[in-house]
Amino acid sequence: MIKQIVKTSDTNSLQSALDQMVVQEEVKSVILYIGENFPFDTDALSYQLKSLSTTVIGGVFPEVIIDGQRSNDSAILLGLPYPMSYIVIDEFDERNILPKVTEGLKDHFEENCTFFVFIDALIRNKTILFDTLYNYYGSIPNYLGGGAGTLKFEPTPCVVTNEGILEGAALVASIPQKVTIGVAHGWSPISQPLKVTEVSNNEIISLDWKPVMDVYPSIVEEHSKEKFDYEDFYNCVKSYPIGIKKLNDNMTVRDPFKTENGRLFLLDDIEEGSYVQVLYGNINTLIEAARTARLQAEEKGKVSDNTFIIDCISRGLFMEEDFKNELKELDPLSNSFGALTLGEIANNGDEYLDVYNKTAVVGIFE
Amino acid sequence: MEFSNNTTLKVLSDVLLELALSIGSQHSTHTLIQKSVPLLLKRLECNTCGLFRTKDDYIIENQFVVPGIFPSTVFFEKLKNTPIESEFNLDGQLCYFFRISKEEHLFLRRKTPFTKIQIKEVEPILYFLVNTLHNLEEKGKREKIEVEVKKLSLVASQSTNGVVITDVNGRLEWINQGFTKVSGWTLEEVKGKKPGEFLQGELTDPNTVKVMRESLLSKKGFDVEILNYNKAGIPYWIQIICNPLKDNEGNITGYMAIESDISIRKKYEAQLIKARNRAIEAQKAEENFLANMSHEIRTPLNAVIGMVSLLYETNLNEEQLDYIKTLDHSSSFLLGLISNVLDIQKIQSGNIEIVKSNINITAILDTILMSYEYRVKEKGLKVSVTKTENFPSRIISDKTILLQILNNLMSNAEKFTNSGEIGIRASQIHWKEKNALQLEVFDTGVGIATEKQKFLFKKFKQIHAPELTNTRGTGLGLAITKELVEVLDGEITVESILGEGTVFKVRVPIEVPENTANKYPKNDITLAPKNIFNDIKILVVEDNLMNQKFIVRLLNKLNIDLDLAENGTEAIEKANQEKYDVILMDIQLPDTNGFEVTKIIKNTENLNRETKIIALTASALGQDILKSQAVGMDDFLSKPFRPKDLLAKLENVLV
């Protein structure tokens, strides 16, 4: 695998680096992550991507990670020695997705393969894609990826494909190589389970038939012993994500990022009827979770030193300077390649495919 | 923070309720598997769910699996080889089998174990899922059937044909608009009645009604045509196709009949029958006319030709000889013309009969050779007959037809050849997977232009050629030959070069008898030595004076003793009084015809029951030959005939 970082603000340097990467004989496909503050010419890069015969996948993310360092103004490239097949989804209905899923990925589908999934974080109803993928391929492949976009939460071209850099789209690519995965979050419940009684995609309207903003702030206030600060909403809630309760007390974490009209906006969708709990975590529990994720990945079998990290940008924002310790736990050898994303996608065959928030994911190539 | 078990159970019961609602709200197996099963996987934190057909605690096949691609083929093979238990660990995954029935198990796979309470609570939902699946499968089948039934109902109700459904006793339950339109009766008016009660009338055929009734009594369908009467009493013809309706157990629940109005067809049929009868009558009249004409012309012509033959034997001066030759030529031409017209008539009316027998083909060819050697002597032509090495001496085929074919072709060759050679090349070949006789009749005559060859076998088409001004004919010879070849299932082709000559190639399938080469004399047509006519006596039964004179003169010349009978009664009397060696029997006699006379002679006590009888008749129709054989005649000679023809027949019956 060949890694390359492009730090300069000269857009041409990214295009040159990409050109140089794809001509290398051992490079059969390329993963490209672009930090949200890395200036680049979308049209020019899209044009170049369309002209390449080598598959290039990736996204624009709030930050990128390379060799144990994080950056929001760099672009990083990873040349893989594996061929890829990929599909681009730009219409999110089952009739459009199913034929692409069944036909477009089969070339490199085998018992030990990995699906990379990158999706515009602002797309609602992402589960249509995840359900279709999982209902067809199930747990044979491992899944790894994340939500693309910027912290401005504004629509922007952010999914890197050979069809250009796309907005409102998703990409699924398969490689004939197993990546073992570890997933952990480190958040613990601090409230009783609450039924999500009204919801609109990623907006919770009511919990236990009470307006959500009557319920959630009071739980946070009670735990933090501080008045809920609507003005500084993000800092107020960054330690208190929502956990979707599962049958065996597992939690799928959802990250609240704003409130409007009495609704609580989460980074990803939540289903009406599900049970949620307000979670809390601190630096130590989160770093401990990062270690757990690493161990989980290593436990799966023989692994290489090539570490792939998908971590949540909100963990980075929450942990600030301490995030370097999380990175160290995730990537003790500091040779990682990854991104801080807006939602994490990971599945190692143990459970149904879903998108997580505020979660650390480690993938290691076997 | 610790939470109570009650909360966990509440989550579980909510999950189960959600699953139950999802399962219960599905309307097809497809949505059940595509929506509810994935939801079940999500909510129960499982990664695989499948319904397996099982036998003796092993998986036989899956009915559905979600995800569509099973965890892995390796895993599935392991699973198939593992006896089913309610719970076991395989490859780090927990496998649960829920027994739905003796032959069905629902499979769930997950990473972490279910608690006992969870299993107990989940089981009813799983049974509900499988039951719903089976119900939806049944529903799907029923819906398919209903759709078909709806389509059929639509077809039945919209059909212009009448459709009626009765109960098992034949009482009407339903009719369509087509039936009302044809019969004038509505369902309200006829429901519960038997169709026969109001549809049949005085001209309805009781035999057809009987067929229908008996079919219904024996619980069978029927297909009849019957005259019915509509509400206004106007008759109309219908075809009824009626079939029993059966339930799933095969019991008859009623009958369905489709009725088509065939009144117009019946009208046309009646017209057609009338026209056909008229045509048959006309054809019969034509046949009778031809037969009578044939008889009436042949009888005097026989005398003319006979007398001309006898005149040759008298002392004639040159002038007389010239007149006689002209007379001979003209009478022979007239005979050929009549024979051709009759042959065509015979073939077209299907009266030509194939009489296959074991024949000496070598002798036939030799006879033709001899005959034509004599005929073409004056022209100075060479005549040849060649046979291939393997050529059989005897074959099974129709001798008369073969002879006629060869005579027609040779006569044609002779007619159009003024110098060089004519002849026959004969061989046995394998043709159309059968043994066949191939006869190539060739000449070095005028030849036929390529563009005219296509008209060769057309009736009444004589090729116009300026160089043939001295040839005449009806234009029927080759058409007859082609028809005759086809009667024997053969084919005739022609190859010709203008100015160089022509080859007609005839191929007819034959059978070759085994080891018969020495059983028969080599030549069965060769004229018998004259001494076989010594000490024989012939009874000549002939009413026509001219023919009497000809036959008597001919037999006298051969020193054959004879008696003459002028009618049937006299013939029977003479047959009772004296034993004859041969009887020559005319057919058309003034009192009892020749067939009847023969029957009496052959079937009553008299001196001539074993005497050979040769039919002599001017009728050339095939049925007369058959009839002569049927009454016991030994041979048949068609008038007019030449002396040598009569001698050949006599030799045939005397040897």
Side-chain angles (χ1 to χ4, degrees):
Chain A
M1 273 181 245
I2 300 167
K3 276 184 285 188
Q4 190 172 348
I5 181 165
V6 184
K7 287 190 170 174
T8 170
S9 59
D10 179 3
T11 26
N12 290 336
S13 62
L14 173 58
Q15 290 178 250
S16 305
L18 192 55
D19 278 338
Q20 285 165 24
M21 180 69 84
V22 296
V23 295
Q24 298 193 52
E25 202 177 323
E26 62 268 42
V27 173
K28 300 287 189 282
S29 56
V30 175
I31 298 176
L32 167 62
Y33 290 164
I34 303 170
E36 69 173 51
N37 291 333
F38 179 84
F40 65 96
D41 182 336
T42 307
D43 292 339
L45 188 57
S46 290
Y47 184 80
Q48 184 188 13
L49 287 165
K50 285 178 192 172
S51 69
L52 293 175
S53 58
T54 307
T55 307
V56 182
I57 64 166
V60 176
F61 299 104
E63 292 186 30
V64 297
I65 301 166
I66 188 161
D67 296 337
Q69 302 296 314
R70 54 191 285 202
S71 164
N72 62 7
D73 59 358
S74 301
I76 55 173
L77 297 105
L78 181 67
L80 297 173
Y82 315 112
M84 271 184 192
S85 51
Y86 72 94
I87 56 170
V88 173
I89 310 294
D90 47 12
E91 286 178 54
F92 279 74
D93 69 75
E94 201 179 320
R95 275 174 304 179
N96 177 51
I97 295 172
L98 187 62
K100 287 187 175 178
V101 162
T102 52
E103 288 301 311
L105 297 168
K106 61 185 180 189
D107 283 353
H108 297 107
F109 174 76
E110 51 189 62
E111 292 273 334
N112 289 311
C113 67
T114 302
F115 283 2
F116 286 102
V117 184
F118 299 114
I119 184 166
D120 186 333
L122 295 187
I123 287 172
R124 298 275 66 87
N125 210 5
K126 297 182 180 82
T127 48
I128 289 183
L129 172 61
F130 301 146
D131 287 354
T132 311
L133 262 180
Y134 192 82
N135 288 342
Y136 190 74
Y137 290 103
S139 55
I140 294 179
N142 283 344
Y143 302 82
L144 186 63
T150 68
L151 282 172
K152 290 178 190 148
F153 293 102
E154 289 171 356
T156 184
C158 58
V159 177
V160 174
T161 74
N162 282 89
E163 294 172 18
I165 304 178
L166 307 175
E167 176 189 326
L171 172 138
V172 183
S174 64
I175 60 165
Q177 173 64 34
K178 190 170 184 181
V179 178
T180 61
I181 289 166
V183 187
H185 51 71
W187 305 96
S188 303
I190 56 161
S191 74
Q192 290 287 346
L194 304 158
K195 188 157 185 167
V196 180
T197 43
E198 282 174 282
V199 79
S200 172
N201 295 324
N202 62 331
E203 303 164 24
I204 299 176
I205 300 166
S206 68
L207 293 172
D208 281 349
W209 296 109
K210 293 173 197 158
V212 64
M213 293 314 287
D214 288 355
V215 180
Y216 177 69
S218 60
I219 295 169
V220 173
E221 281 177 355
E222 191 183 333
H223 188 268
S224 64
K225 313 293 183 204
E226 287 179 17
K227 185 141 181 72
F228 195 88
D229 188 349
Y230 288 89
E231 297 300 317
D232 190 12
F233 179 82
Y234 185 74
N235 277 323
C236 176
V237 302
K238 65 184 182 185
S239 307
Y240 296 98
I242 301 290
I244 303 168
K245 187 169 170 57
K246 294 195 177 174
L247 206 59
N248 283 4
D249 294 334
N250 292 331
M251 291 286 178
T252 298
V253 184
R254 288 285 178 267
D255 195 6
F257 67 96
K258 71 172 181 180
T259 177
E260 212 172 80
N261 299 325
R263 297 181 176 199
L264 184 65
F265 284 69
L266 308 177
L267 209 54
D268 278 294
D269 293 357
I270 188 165
E271 286 178 341
E272 202 167 88
S274 54
Y275 279 84
V276 295
Q277 287 173 287
V278 178
L279 308 177
Y280 174 76
N282 57 39
I283 302 290
N284 293 335
T285 60
L286 268 57
I287 290 173
E288 181 59 33
R291 185 185 301 124
T292 305
R294 174 81 200 184
L295 289 173
Q296 275 179 12
E298 286 178 345
E299 272 173 14
K300 297 272 161 51
K302 188 185 170 188
V303 292
S304 70
D305 294 336
N306 295 308
T307 302
F308 209 95
I309 291 173
I310 294 287
D311 205 339
C312 185
I313 183 61
S314 66
R315 286 171 77 95
L317 296 173
F318 172 64
M319 293 164 84
E320 296 175 344
E321 279 305 304
D322 289 318
F323 188 70
K324 62 176 186 284
N325 296 324
E326 167 140 325
L327 275 182
K328 209 167 189 176
E329 292 296 342
L330 293 170
D331 173 27
L333 299 174
S334 294
N335 61 357
S336 58
F337 181 94
L340 298 180
T341 59
L342 300 169
E344 298 73 58
I345 298 162
N347 186 294
N348 52 21
D350 290 347
E351 56 192 47
Y352 208 84
L353 184 62
D354 205 349
V355 61
Y356 307 123
N357 296 158
K358 283 188 181 292
T359 301
V361 178
V362 178
I364 308 175
F365 283 92
E366 274 195 353
Chain B
M1 188 172 180
E2 293 299 319
F3 301 103
S4 66
N5 260 347
N6 283 346
T7 313
T8 308
L9 284 175
K10 196 164 180 281
V11 173
L12 178 62
S13 62
D14 266 30
V15 162
L16 298 179
L17 180 64
E18 184 188 9
L19 289 175
L21 287 172
S22 171
I23 292 164
S25 66
Q26 302 304 337
H27 297 292
S28 72
T29 54
H30 176 79
T31 55
L32 185 76
I33 293 166
Q34 295 299 316
K35 305 286 179 197
S36 297
V37 176
L39 184 70
L40 181 139
L41 289 180
K42 271 190 200 179
R43 295 291 182 260
L44 299 183
E45 291 180 66
C46 295
N47 53 52
T48 311
C49 173
L51 182 64
F52 296 125
R53 286 183 62 79
T54 51
K55 191 179 180 188
D56 301 330
D57 289 336
Y58 283 92
I59 293 170
I60 304 171
E61 60 176 0
N62 69 55
Q63 296 182 63
F64 75 78
V65 174
V66 178
I69 295 176
F70 204 73
S72 78
T73 47
V74 178
F75 184 90
F76 188 49
E77 283 309 309
K78 280 185 188 171
L79 193 66
K80 278 172 84 173
N81 294 321
T82 307
I84 291 171
E85 291 175 46
S86 56
E87 180 182 346
F88 59 93
N89 190 311
L90 188 62
D91 285 353
Q93 297 279 336
L94 284 148
C95 300
Y96 292 89
F97 276 103
F98 296 88
R99 189 176 189 273
I100 305 297
S101 68
K102 199 178 171 186
E103 294 169 344
E104 266 186 336
H105 282 80
L106 192 111
F107 172 78
L108 286 177
R109 189 179 87 140
R110 71 200 308 259
K111 179 70 181 170
T112 52
F114 280 125
T115 63
K116 278 184 182 172
I117 293 172
Q118 283 170 341
I119 289 175
K120 205 174 171 187
E121 294 294 315
V122 161
E123 264 181 339
I125 287 293
L126 301 180
Y127 296 137
F128 180 49
L129 172 74
V130 178
N131 276 338
T132 306
L133 179 80
H134 293 326
N135 288 340
L136 289 173
E137 282 170 348
E138 275 302 309
K139 188 181 154 220
K141 283 180 199 165
R142 275 201 311 275
E143 280 173 355
K144 264 188 187 171
I145 293 167
E146 279 167 16
V147 167
E148 289 303 314
V149 169
K150 270 185 189 168
K151 276 187 203 164
L152 288 174
S153 302
L154 190 68
V155 170
S157 62
Q158 299 294 315
S159 172
T160 51
N161 286 332
V163 181
V164 303
I165 295 174
T166 72
D167 64 14
V168 72
N169 297 313
R171 297 193 179 279
L172 282 168
E173 288 184 333
W174 184 83
I175 58 171
N176 73 340
Q177 287 175 0
F179 179 85
T180 302
K181 199 176 166 190
V182 174
S183 70
W185 297 99
T186 63
L187 181 61
E188 291 72 32
E189 292 168 326
V190 297
K191 197 169 185 179
K193 290 183 182 174
K194 290 186 174 179
E197 293 172 8
F198 59 93
L199 288 173
Q200 292 157 13
E202 57 175 345
L203 293 179
T204 304
D205 182 0
N207 289 328
T208 310
V209 176
K210 193 178 167 198
V211 166
M212 291 160 65
R213 191 175 297 134
E214 284 173 357
S215 298
L216 293 178
L217 282 172
S218 55
K219 302 192 185 308
K220 288 177 184 165
F222 57 81
D223 181 349
V224 297
E225 292 180 358
I226 190 169
L227 187 73
N228 272 357
Y229 289 80
N230 68 13
K231 196 175 173 182
I234 299 166
Y236 61 97
W237 275 98
I238 53 163
Q239 180 191 23
I240 305 176
I241 299 171
C242 177
N243 284 303
L245 299 169
K246 293 178 181 174
D247 62 16
N248 288 340
E249 280 75 44
N251 303 314
I252 293 177
T253 57
Y255 293 89
M256 185 177 79
I258 297 170
E259 304 184 348
S260 318
D261 189 340
I262 54 167
S263 299
I264 294 171
R265 198 191 88 199
K266 280 285 178 187
K267 191 177 153 191
Y268 284 128
E269 267 179 16
Q271 286 172 356
L272 279 173
I273 289 167
K274 226 175 185 176
R276 183 171 164 269
N277 288 340
R278 274 203 299 268
I280 289 170
E281 278 170 21
Q283 194 183 359
K284 214 167 184 178
E286 187 190 331
E287 273 179 30
N288 288 339
F289 169 75
L290 280 168
N292 290 333
M293 188 190 80
S294 158
H295 187 266
E296 295 309 317
I297 297 173
R298 278 167 180 252
T299 303
L301 194 59
N302 191 44
V304 172
I305 289 172
M307 288 307 163
V308 167
S309 301
L310 293 174
L311 271 176
Y312 277 119
E313 307 293 324
T314 62
N315 292 325
L316 299 166
N317 62 31
E318 262 189 39
E319 191 183 4
Q320 284 171 327
L321 188 62
D322 186 42
Y323 294 160
I324 291 295
K325 275 184 181 173
T326 307
L327 188 58
D328 186 16
H329 186 74
S330 296
S331 57
S332 293
F333 179 76
L334 185 57
L335 175 62
L337 191 71
I338 293 167
S339 297
N340 279 349
V341 170
L342 285 168
D343 281 343
I344 278 288
Q345 194 277 333
K346 273 195 286 183
I347 293 165
Q348 285 180 342
S349 62
N351 281 328
I352 195 153
E353 301 290 335
I354 303 172
V355 183
K356 285 192 179 176
S357 62
N358 188 322
I359 58 174
N360 188 336
I361 184 68
T362 309
I364 289 173
L365 291 169
D366 289 346
T367 307
I368 297 262
L369 176 66
M370 282 162 57
S371 159
Y372 278 87
E373 272 175 346
Y374 175 74
R375 284 172 66 166
V376 299
K377 215 173 188 177
E378 280 184 18
K379 277 187 172 178
L381 293 178
K382 189 185 166 196
V383 184
S384 68
V385 170
T386 55
K387 293 164 280 190
T388 51
E389 262 185 30
N390 65 339
F391 193 72
S393 60
R394 304 194 75 88
I395 60 170
I396 293 172
S397 187
D398 187 303
K399 181 175 159 186
T400 312
I401 295 176
L402 269 185
L403 258 173
Q404 193 169 350
I405 291 167
L406 281 171
N407 266 321
N408 285 0
L409 292 175
M410 282 298 281
S411 149
N412 212 52
E414 181 233 328
K415 191 159 48 170
F416 295 108
T417 309
N418 293 321
S419 63
E421 186 182 359
I422 65 170
I424 302 168
R425 289 188 288 267
S427 53
Q428 185 196 343
I429 59 165
H430 195 68
W431 179 66
K432 290 189 177 173
E433 300 175 0
K434 285 178 183 167
N435 267 327
L437 178 66
Q438 178 170 289
L439 300 164
E440 292 172 276
V441 178
F442 65 92
D443 65 60
T444 55
V446 293
I448 307 149
T450 312
E451 69 273 13
K452 290 177 180 170
Q453 289 176 11
K454 61 185 173 187
F455 299 115
L456 267 182
F457 300 108
K458 304 273 182 199
K459 291 184 194 94
F460 302 105
K461 282 269 178 187
Q462 209 179 28
I463 306 292
H464 173 70
E467 65 277 16
L468 302 175
T469 47
N470 61 339
T471 59
R472 289 187 300 159
T474 54
L476 285 170
L478 287 173
I480 291 168
T481 306
K482 183 170 187 285
E483 300 266 12
L484 290 171
V485 169
E486 285 170 0
V487 162
L488 293 181
D489 291 330
E491 70 169 24
I492 181 167
T493 55
V494 64
E495 285 173 22
S496 183
I497 299 171
L498 200 59
E500 290 187 18
T502 305
V503 179
F504 285 96
K505 192 185 281 180
V506 172
R507 290 163 162 177
V508 288
I510 54 163
E511 287 172 52
V512 180
E514 287 177 12
N515 303 323
T516 52
N518 300 321
K519 279 190 180 176
Y520 299 88
K522 274 188 179 174
N523 187 338
D524 54 1
I525 306 186
T526 312
L527 287 177
K530 285 191 175 176
N531 61 7
I532 66 162
F533 299 133
N534 290 344
D535 303 326
I536 65 162
K537 190 163 186 181
I538 292 176
L539 173 62
V540 177
V541 186
E542 172 63 66
D543 63 323
N544 185 285
L545 288 177
M546 292 299 285
N547 284 334
Q548 279 179 13
K549 199 173 170 186
F550 165 54
I551 296 167
V552 169
R553 289 291 296 274
L554 178 63
L555 295 178
N556 284 344
K557 269 181 165 285
L558 292 168
N559 293 322
I560 297 172
D561 195 7
L562 63 90
D563 276 342
L564 194 62
E566 291 189 352
N567 54 50
T569 314
E570 198 180 331
I572 294 163
E573 279 173 13
K574 292 209 162 154
N576 280 327
Q577 291 162 7
E578 189 171 353
K579 168 82 174 83
Y580 296 100
D581 297 289
V582 176
I583 299 173
L584 297 176
M585 180 74 73
D586 186 24
I587 301 298
Q588 285 195 347
L589 294 169
D591 52 356
T592 314
N593 74 37
F595 297 131
E596 292 303 316
V597 175
T598 302
K599 270 204 266 184
I600 293 166
I601 293 171
K602 291 277 181 185
N603 298 309
T604 56
E605 271 307 321
N606 66 75
L607 298 168
N608 290 289
R609 284 186 74 172
E610 304 301 325
T611 300
K612 305 287 183 186
I613 302 179
I614 299 171
L616 298 177
T617 176
S619 166
L621 295 178
Q623 59 257 44
D624 282 353
I625 299 175
L626 289 175
K627 208 166 175 185
S628 68
Q629 289 169 346
V631 296
M633 289 178 157
D634 299 279
D635 213 334
F636 185 96
L637 183 59
S638 184
K639 291 182 204 170
F641 55 82
R642 293 168 188 282
K644 64 173 183 177
D645 298 329
L646 179 61
L647 293 182
K649 292 289 177 188
L650 287 173
E651 178 237 333
N652 199 32
V653 296
L654 288 170
V655 171

